[in-house]
Every structure is written in structure tokens, then in C-alpha cells.
Amino acid sequence: MKKSLIVYYSLSGLTKKVVDVLKNFTDADIYEIELEKPYSKLTAYTIGLVHCKTDYEPAIKNEIDLSNYDKIFIGGPAWYFTYAPPIHSFIKKYDLSDKVIYPFGTATSNFGNYFERFSKECKAKEIKNPLEVFKSTFKNGLEDAVKSWLDKEYN
């Protein structure tokens, strides 16, 4: 029987909070994207900007076998109005053509073209409507937001 997987990148810990809630509702396995040369908060604001603008794919340190999964949640923070470079690396590195993808992201105030670009770059069997989690949602309503999204998209 195929299982679900949550793939994520989190620098500040906000995306990890979403992952924890998703795990509670889905019992999916978890894979955190780790980089060979991790970003710090400082390099995310400097080098990360350049990486976002140039479609750079930072090297992923840890590998995963996706053959046991048919549904994959993929999420990370919005950097400079798009997804963070580790998410770009993951969707370019792995064959997702037979997977149903559930994109999610965290943002302070604006996702920009995060999900439009994600849908264009991610070559999957199907891409569901995204879960957009703004910083304000963490103060109250994170579990309700995740549950509502899952009720609509996850089947």
C-alpha cells in the first residue's frame, strides 16, 4: 500500500510547525530537505536572494526513495516572492511524474508567484490547490486552516 510523504524545508521553524500539524492529520512520513551547504538567516537574505533570481539549485545532502509514496506534500517558506531554493532543488532532482502533489508554503505577507512557479516547474501527475499559511495564521487558526485545506484537497 502506498503512503503519503511530507517533504519540507524550514529555516526559521515556521514551516516545521505546519509539518507537525499535517503529520497529526495525515500520519504521513516526513522528509526534511537538508543542504550540503545550509543557509543561515544572514545568507538567506543575501545569497538566497541571488539563488532565487537565478533558479540556483543548492545540493541536497540527504537522499530519499520516493517509490513507496503516491501522495507528496511539498512545502517551504516564501523567499523574495517565490519558493526557497531547496524546494527548487527537490522538484528538479526527483521524478514526480506519477505522484499527486500537495503544495504548501509559509509567508510573512505575500507569496508572489510562489505557487504559479511551483505548478510550472513541478512535473507531477497532479498538483492540488495550495495551502497558503501566513504568519498571522500561526497566532490562531493554524490547525483549522490545515484541516480545512485537507478536507477539500486530500482524498
Side-chain angles (χ1 to χ4, degrees), residues 86-125:
I87 299 300
H88 190 66
S89 293
F90 183 85
I91 64 176
K92 291 301 189 179
K93 179 175 184 162
Y94 289 98
D95 178 7
L96 304 171
S97 61
D98 63 341
K99 314 294 183 195
V100 176
I101 303 299
Y102 298 81
F104 67 97
T106 55
T108 302
S109 63
N110 190 331
F111 281 97
N113 72 347
Y114 185 119
F115 295 109
E116 292 84 0
R117 181 176 173 225
F118 184 94
S119 293
K120 180 180 160 202
E121 297 287 340
C122 182
K123 307 301 182 207
K125 177 173 141 182

Side-chain angles (χ1 to χ4, degrees), residues 33-44:
I33 299 170
E34 296 177 27
L35 300 178
E36 287 184 7
K37 293 181 180 177
Y39 292 101
S40 68
K41 288 187 180 182
L42 175 64
T43 60

Side-chain angles (χ1 to χ4, degrees), residues 4 9 16-17 21 23-24 42 45 48 50 57 63 68 70 75 82 84 96 99 110 112 118 123 126 137 139:
S4 296
Y9 174 75
K16 174 72 167 83
K17 289 179 182 181
V21 174
K23 170 74 175 163
N24 288 340
L42 175 64
Y45 286 107
V50 174
E57 297 173 29
E63 300 287 325
N68 292 326
D70 57 350
T82 189
L96 304 171
K99 314 294 183 195
N110 190 331
F118 184 94
K123 307 301 182 207
E126 181 181 0
T137 309
K139 293 185 177 114

Side-chain angles (χ1 to χ4, degrees), residues 122-135:
C122 182
K123 307 301 182 207
K125 177 173 141 182
E126 181 181 0
I127 300 175
K128 297 289 190 169
N129 290 318
L131 170 63
E132 298 178 355
V133 182
F134 291 97
K135 193 171 184 179

